[in-house]
């Protein structure tokens, strides 16, 4: 596999890691993240969970911490502005600029337009929530709003990623590791169907206030707003209580009707992703603890350095996979759509 | 229906104790099972007043306020019930359903308090079980994550 060469050396993709708190940000940067992505404590980002995320002072401190160590801070502003009022989203843009964020991760065209007109120098990354899966869609956002990077939804095969990278005039970021959101991101309303709230509106899938775990004779039931979505035997591993990963009776058979709880892990195809010219690898999990962020970041730092640095000598170390496996939802890994045979 | 307090180490009780403690587990359990809820709750309340309360952000303080949280250390048979009042953490009454009940072995609590593990991971593996108000549980988890280890601190500032 030939590596992408710029000025005589392989282009090493940026390692972009999640931070749900200032402490997670510090751990990520300390473990070797090139960039961290963060959100404010409101519905302007897709991980709007109680107790998570940054207030202004924490964001300012986080940016200072990251910049002092050569890392960048990307702010997720990736929900869709509410028809009742776009002000919170515009205010969040202004806050990000005032606090010194290096780029915004955006999904809504109104928010992008505001950025262009009020902060034309601001770097914009197209969020996975915008669901741009084709070169043509990405080009539209580049021409109209000047986006400089697009995060690809986790629904493309490797050859489709290659096609998009080859044609796009902007940097392409892909997901490397983390829990899977199986829908074409940004278009899923399953959570809204049961709870009235979904990622693109309220910033949460399966809002915690709607989640109940109950021990019954049949097993531990997971309910979402009263709707039974799974029942676990005592020794069964559990997953996030999302509708897409529930087990249902369909035509007399009980099973995962939509998707199994599993984690994406692309360590095995990292050299291919680098060779394609992917500019950044994203780790999922702003809702996870700093311990997850630190250990997963360390694995990916080592893997990217080795994959980009060695001429063909890369192999996935068992201890890397062991660490990632420990933290994986569903305790097993998949290459997801990257190696699906369908087109 | 919430889980009854099970002492047989089966069914709903998360497993996992470091080997040195495993050896004395049954002895410890036999002793502490007969202790009332009050003493361990009282001790923990004083510890939390010292170590957690001064660092607890206002939103978490509000979310926890006057809600009974029950912690069960499943492998040692210890149960504590706490409630946050204006004057600090207090021992909650033994009666009444808690707003939130957390069940985990001692090792899981220790790893979490030291900032060495991820609550979601423990939850996936059933080494930590949460019942009741999931949102309150999440506030607690996210607040503790953001604060960092309550003891045995690793200094991230120097990285
Ligand atoms: S229900 Fe599943 S696919 Fe839909 S947003 Fe939630 S995690 Fe993603």
């Amino acid at each position: 596999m030939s590596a992408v060469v710029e000025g005589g050396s392989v282009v090493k993709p940026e390692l972009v890691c999640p931070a749900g708190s200032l402490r997670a940000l510090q751990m990520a940067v300390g473990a070797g993240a090139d960039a961290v992505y963060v959100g404010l404590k409101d519905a302007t980002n897709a991980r709007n969970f109680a107790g998570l995320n940054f207030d202004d002072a924490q964001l300012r401190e986080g940016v200072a911490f990251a910049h002092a160590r050569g890392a960048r801070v990307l702010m997720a502003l990736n929900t869709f502005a509410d028809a009742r009022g776009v002000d919170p989203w515009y205010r969040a843009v202004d806050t990000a600029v005032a606090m010194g964020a290096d780029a915004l991760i955006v999904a809504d065209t109104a928010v992008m337009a505001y950025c262009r007109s009020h902060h034309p120098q601001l770097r914009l990354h197209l969020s996975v929530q915008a669901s741009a899966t084709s070169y043509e869609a990405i080009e539209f956002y580049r021409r109209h709003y000047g986006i400089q990077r697009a995060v690809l939804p986790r629904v493309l095969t490797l050859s489709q990623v290659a096609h998009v990278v080859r044609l796009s005039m902007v940097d392409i970021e892909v997901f490397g590791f983390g829990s899977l959101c199986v829908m074409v991101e940004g278009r899923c309303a399953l959570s809204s169907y049961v709870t009235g709230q979904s990622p693109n509106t309220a910033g949460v899938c399966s809002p915690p206030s709607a989640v109940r775990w109950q021990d019954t004779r049949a097993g531990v039931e997971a309910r979402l707003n009263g709707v039974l979505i799974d029942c676990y035997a005592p020794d069964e591993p559990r997953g996030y209580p999302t509708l897409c990963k529930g087990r249902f009776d369909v035509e007399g058979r009980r099973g995962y009707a939509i998707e199994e709880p599993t984690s994406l892990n692309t360590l095995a195809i990292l050299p291919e992703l680098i060779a394609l010219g992917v500019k950044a690898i994203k780790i999922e999990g702003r809702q996870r603890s700093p311990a997850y962020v630190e250990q997963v970041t360390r694995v990916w730092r080592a893997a990217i350095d080795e994959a980009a640095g060695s001429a063909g000598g890369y192999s996935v170390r068992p201890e890397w996979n062991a660490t990632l496996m420990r933290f994986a939802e569903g305790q097993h890994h998949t290459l997801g759509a990257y190696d699906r045979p369908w087109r | 229906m919430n889980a009854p307090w099970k002492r047989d180490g089966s069914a709903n009780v998360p497993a996992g104790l470091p080997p040195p403690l495993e050896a004395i587990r049954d002895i410890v359990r036999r002793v502490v099972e007969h202790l009332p809820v009050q003493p361990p709750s009282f001790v923990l309340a004083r510890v939390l007043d010292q170590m957690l309360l001064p660092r607890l952000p206002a939103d978490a303080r509000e979310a926890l306020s006057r809600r009974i949280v029950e912690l069960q250390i499943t492998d040692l048979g210890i149960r504590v019930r706490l409630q946050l009042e204006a004057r600090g953490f207090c021992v909650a009454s033994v009666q009444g359903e808690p707003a939130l009940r957390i069940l985990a072995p001692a090792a899981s609590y220790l790893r979490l308090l030291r900032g060495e593990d991820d609550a979601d991971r423990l939850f996936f593996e059933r080494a930590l079980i949460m019942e009741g108000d999931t949102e309150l549980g999440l506030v607690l988890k996210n607040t503790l994550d953001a604060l960092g280890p309550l003891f045995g601190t690793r200094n991230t500032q120097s990285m």
Side-chain angles (χ1 to χ4, degrees):
Chain A
M1 167 89 34
S2 66
V4 171
V5 174
E6 223 172 58
S9 61
V10 173
V11 179
K12 206 189 261 194
E14 185 177 87
L15 176 58
V16 182
C17 296
S21 65
L22 181 57
R23 184 173 154 71
L25 178 149
Q26 292 167 339
M27 303 290 265
V29 171
D34 297 306
V36 286
Y37 61 105
V38 302
L40 296 176
K41 284 178 180 289
D42 59 28
T44 61
N45 73 92
R47 288 281 188 277
N48 177 24
F49 293 115
L52 203 69
N53 292 323
F54 289 65
D55 60 25
D56 289 6
Q58 290 164 335
L59 184 57
R60 193 190 301 277
E61 196 179 334
V63 169
F65 183 92
H67 285 177
R69 290 155 183 82
R72 285 171 291 281
V73 176
L74 320 177
M75 199 171 100
L77 230 161
N78 56 350
T79 49
F80 286 78
D82 196 315
R84 284 168 295 188
V86 294
D87 280 355
W89 280 262
Y90 292 170
R91 271 204 311 275
V93 172
D94 298 338
T95 301
V97 173
M99 301 298 152
D102 297 282
L104 287 192
I105 307 171
V106 284
D108 187 334
T109 47
V111 176
M112 291 180 221
Y114 178 83
C115 293
R116 276 308 90 194
S117 58
H118 289 73
H119 306 284
Q121 76 297 344
L122 184 59
R123 186 178 161 92
L124 297 183
H125 294 182
L126 188 66
S127 167
V128 68
Q129 299 297 122
S131 294
T133 47
S134 65
Y135 148 74
E136 289 83 353
I138 293 168
E139 180 58 14
F140 172 87
Y141 285 107
R142 187 193 68 81
R143 254 190 286 121
H144 289 274
Y145 306 106
I147 62 137
Q148 288 171 268
R149 179 183 293 180
V151 187
L152 292 187
R154 289 159 279 191
V155 294
L156 300 181
T157 65
L158 204 54
S159 72
Q160 288 170 328
V161 172
H163 182 73
V164 172
V165 172
R166 203 164 44 244
L167 295 174
S168 287
M169 295 168 77
V170 304
D171 293 352
I172 296 297
E173 178 172 317
V174 298
F175 276 87
F177 178 76
S179 281
L180 274 174
C181 176
V182 294
M183 297 296 154
V184 179
E185 276 120 322
R187 292 178 200 162
C188 178
L190 277 176
S191 172
S192 197
Y193 174 68
V194 176
T195 71
Q197 290 184 297
S198 72
N200 285 342
T201 53
V204 284
C205 173
S206 302
S209 57
V211 176
R212 282 292 178 277
W213 298 90
Q214 281 179 315
D215 194 26
T216 70
R217 247 189 240 145
V220 176
E221 291 183 351
R223 286 184 184 270
L224 199 52
N225 209 12
V227 176
L228 180 65
I229 57 171
D230 212 331
C231 184
Y232 298 92
D235 54 351
E236 256 185 325
R238 299 174 189 181
Y240 286 123
T242 59
L243 207 48
C244 64
K245 291 165 192 162
R247 276 180 292 191
F248 303 98
D249 289 323
V250 181
E251 292 172 351
R253 275 185 47 196
R254 179 170 173 266
Y256 295 106
I258 303 172
E259 184 66 283
E260 290 187 29
T262 181
S263 286
L264 178 75
N265 177 7
T266 62
L267 276 184
I269 55 166
L270 187 53
E272 282 94 330
L273 291 171
I274 295 175
L276 293 180
V278 160
K279 287 284 173 48
I281 306 271
K282 183 172 213 135
I283 308 300
E284 184 272 348
R286 274 195 292 133
Q287 76 283 12
R288 304 291 295 261
S289 302
Y292 161 100
V293 171
E294 183 194 29
Q295 294 183 44
V296 173
T297 300
R298 252 183 230 299
V299 166
W300 279 86
R301 178 72 279 150
I304 290 175
D305 287 351
E306 194 165 310
S310 67
Y314 172 88
S315 65
V316 178
R317 301 217 189 123
E319 63 268 27
W320 294 345
N321 268 342
T323 301
L324 297 187
M325 193 71 96
R326 261 168 54 77
F327 287 106
E329 184 187 7
Q331 310 293 302
H332 55 92
H333 287 169
T334 172
L335 277 170
Y338 288 119
D339 94 318
R340 292 246 164 100
W342 44 257
R343 295 285 181 272
Chain B
M1 186 193 77
N2 276 300
W5 172 230
K6 293 171 185 157
R7 292 193 168 85
D8 59 3
S10 67
N12 205 25
V13 177
L17 199 68
L21 281 181
E22 194 64 56
I24 56 162
R25 159 180 150 146
D26 285 344
I27 304 168
V28 174
R29 234 160 97 168
R30 265 199 301 278
V31 175
V32 294
E33 263 177 10
H34 296 290
L35 295 177
V37 169
Q38 264 84 356
S41 302
F42 180 81
V43 172
L44 186 60
R46 296 293 73 76
V47 171
L48 292 178
D49 276 348
Q50 292 286 316
M51 298 174 86
L52 180 60
L53 198 55
R55 300 168 67 198
L56 204 59
D59 51 353
R61 202 180 270 245
E62 198 186 311
L64 279 170
S65 185
R66 295 192 165 69
R67 318 277 317 269
I68 299 178
V69 176
E70 182 176 301
L71 304 176
Q72 297 189 1
I73 305 173
T74 49
D75 48 353
L76 301 180
I78 296 176
R79 180 169 63 129
V80 300
R81 284 166 71 93
L82 297 174
Q83 190 166 329
L84 182 58
E85 302 282 348
R87 61 182 193 280
F89 286 96
C90 302
V91 180
S93 86
V94 282
Q95 261 100 51
E97 224 10 59
L100 176 70
R101 179 187 282 128
I102 297 171
L103 302 96
S108 296
Y109 286 116
L110 278 177
R111 291 183 61 77
L112 281 177
L113 289 175
R114 287 207 200 106
E116 291 169 358
D117 219 324
D118 173 66
D120 290 13
R121 186 190 87 75
L122 297 172
F123 160 80
F124 295 149
E125 281 189 1
R126 296 188 61 265
L128 184 143
I129 288 169
M130 199 165 67
E131 293 167 355
D133 186 339
T134 311
E135 186 158 39
L136 182 60
L138 210 63
V139 170
L140 202 60
K141 169 190 114 77
N142 289 335
T143 302
L144 291 174
D145 275 350
L147 289 177
L150 290 187
F151 60 87
T153 316
R154 288 182 296 167
N155 189 358
T156 52
Q157 301 293 330
S158 60
M159 288 186 304

